[in-house]
Amino acid sequence: MALRALPLLLLLLAAGALGKPMARPERARPGAAPHEDRPGFQYDHEAFLGKEEARSFDQLSPEESRERLGKIVDRIDDNKDGYITTEELKTWIKRVQKRYIYENVAKVWKDYDLNKDDKIAWEEYKQATYGYYLENPEEFQDATDQHSFKKMLPRDERRFKAADLDGDLAATREEFTAFLHPEEFEHMKNIVVLETLEDIDKNEDGFVDQDEYIADMFANEEGGPEPDWVITEREQFSDFRDLNKDGKMDKDEIQHWILPQDYDHALAEARHLVYESDVDKDEKLTKEEVLDNWNMFVGSQATNYGEDLTRNHDEL
């Protein structure tokens, strides 16, 4: 979700009874190829653990985190030969991502299916998400909040209708999953590209230039020199994002960036983790190699995997 919308959503969540306000779906961020390193290995943590677990890092000490990582490694090693292969790691990452998506839908389903008919109509979603604002517009005097509402409501309706394949304005679980996670569905690709363009294109010229591309990931508030990774991203933009070399990305180039064909994000992340942790360069990882580089997998803040460790491996 764009940071500019957070104050509005905090106000929504505190508002009260009329049409229980709900957080709206985030802009789909499927991730770009090639693998992008960020300070703190956030991308790696979310890919390896899932977003919910990655957010709970600070609940455990580094010692607890490392111990639980060891148990996760035992589960990733499907054939119990003492090694983690790229294929095993890829399978794990795909399971984590799939589990996150369907658990996310299950968690919010009851909040939107107001009449309990096992479908979520557009009107139910609109009431749950925007009902308070629509019935109490006088409480939202801030121009930025009003602008955000007027922009978000039609945008959500556009995404909902794209996910609603049978056009009955009532989403099944699969259709609602496509609404919340459009990056996972082929028929939602155009929406993913369009929302990305709308969010990054600050001058609203229908393109994303290099400065807009960088501003979406880095705000140089102090005005100092840009970090090395930002300089690298500028080079990535010129060399790989701007395919026709006109200094900006159009919709086709944005799709090539965020939804590249024949690119497996789970496989790319698995290869990255193996490469960075494989001390003896045998193209597979021992438990010791993973634990020696544990901060790349789970970070120095650690993660709460207590519930996950009690689950059957096949559930993922």
Side-chain angles (χ1 to χ4, degrees):
M1 185 181 307
L3 291 178
R4 64 184 180 279
L6 286 178
L8 170 63
L9 289 178
L10 291 175
L11 182 57
L12 273 175
L13 293 171
L18 287 176
K20 180 183 177 184
M22 304 298 300
R24 56 185 299 279
E26 298 182 1
R27 184 227 306 179
R29 299 298 295 271
H35 176 90
E36 298 175 359
D37 287 316
R38 290 288 182 271
F41 304 117
Q42 181 181 355
Y43 183 96
D44 300 303
H45 299 165
E46 291 186 357
F48 182 73
L49 298 168
K51 289 185 178 181
E52 293 297 326
E53 284 80 2
R55 291 190 188 109
S56 64
F57 276 11
D58 57 359
Q59 297 180 17
L60 297 176
S61 68
E63 292 76 20
E64 290 174 315
S65 177
R66 195 171 182 275
E67 178 184 354
R68 295 192 182 192
L69 174 60
K71 295 178 181 179
I72 295 170
V73 170
D74 292 338
R75 297 174 58 194
I76 297 174
D77 181 15
D78 277 336
N79 61 8
K80 307 304 178 187
D81 66 350
Y83 295 97
I84 301 299
T85 64
T86 299
E87 188 65 24
E88 286 173 326
L89 199 50
K90 182 192 78 170
T91 299
W92 169 265
I93 291 170
K94 283 184 177 293
R95 285 172 175 167
V96 166
Q97 180 62 18
K98 183 178 180 180
R99 185 192 68 197
Y100 165 74
I101 289 171
Y102 285 97
E103 285 188 351
N104 175 248
V105 172
K107 184 167 60 176
V108 302
W109 182 267
K110 64 181 183 301
D111 295 320
Y112 293 117
D113 183 15
L114 302 179
N115 64 4
K116 309 305 178 187
D117 65 347
D118 208 33
K119 285 189 174 183
I120 295 175
W122 165 247
E123 289 300 323
E124 288 179 307
Y125 175 81
K126 184 172 72 171
Q127 179 66 16
T129 308
Y130 299 102
Y132 192 89
Y133 166 75
L134 294 173
E135 296 181 38
N136 300 273
E138 70 281 355
E139 294 192 22
F140 298 86
Q141 298 300 318
D142 183 82
T144 301
D145 288 350
Q146 291 179 1
H147 174 74
S148 295
F149 261 118
K150 291 177 181 178
K151 179 180 179 180
M152 289 189 299
L153 180 53
R155 176 162 150 160
D156 277 357
E157 184 173 11
R158 181 183 65 194
R159 190 198 278 198
F160 191 96
K161 288 180 177 179
D164 179 27
L165 290 177
D166 59 9
D168 64 352
L169 290 180
T172 63
R173 284 184 183 265
E174 189 71 5
E175 289 172 333
F176 197 64
T177 302
F179 172 66
L180 291 182
H181 300 278
E183 72 281 1
E184 300 296 323
F185 293 82
E186 184 69 25
H187 67 281
M188 299 294 288
K189 281 187 175 181
N190 288 340
I191 288 292
V192 174
V193 172
L194 183 56
E195 290 185 4
T196 301
L197 173 62
E198 290 173 344
D199 284 344
I200 304 179
D201 177 24
K202 301 304 182 184
N203 63 10
E204 299 183 350
D205 66 349
F207 299 93
V208 173
D209 61 36
Q210 187 182 101
D211 288 336
E212 290 171 330
Y213 171 78
I214 294 298
D216 187 56
M217 62 184 79
F218 175 71
N220 194 357
E221 298 176 351
E222 298 180 0
E226 293 180 338
D228 289 343
W229 70 266
V230 174
I231 296 173
T232 299
E233 282 296 341
R234 289 192 180 277
E235 295 171 354
Q236 290 281 321
F237 182 92
S238 299
D239 295 341
F240 301 108
R241 313 289 188 235
D242 178 20
L243 299 177
N244 62 7
K245 308 305 177 187
D246 66 350
K248 55 192 177 184
M249 287 193 291
D250 58 23
K251 289 182 181 178
D252 289 339
E253 289 168 320
I254 291 171
Q255 179 165 333
H256 186 270
W257 165 40
I258 63 174
L259 297 169
Q261 293 182 340
D262 302 320
Y263 183 82
D264 188 329
H265 288 281
L267 178 59
E269 177 63 15
R271 287 173 173 169
H272 168 72
L273 291 172
V274 170
Y275 177 82
E276 294 295 336
S277 306
D278 183 19
V279 175
D280 60 10
K281 302 305 176 185
D282 62 352
E283 299 184 353
K284 54 189 176 182
L285 301 179
T286 63
K287 187 174 185 177
E288 288 70 26
E289 285 175 321
V290 173
L291 294 180
D292 285 346
N293 198 28
W294 68 279
N295 63 308
M296 173 165 279
F297 292 84
V298 296
S300 60
Q301 295 169 307
T303 182
N304 183 1
Y305 241 90
E307 179 181 355
D308 182 65
L309 291 172
T310 64
R311 294 181 181 179
N312 185 286
H313 185 77
D314 292 336
E315 290 181 323
L316 286 173

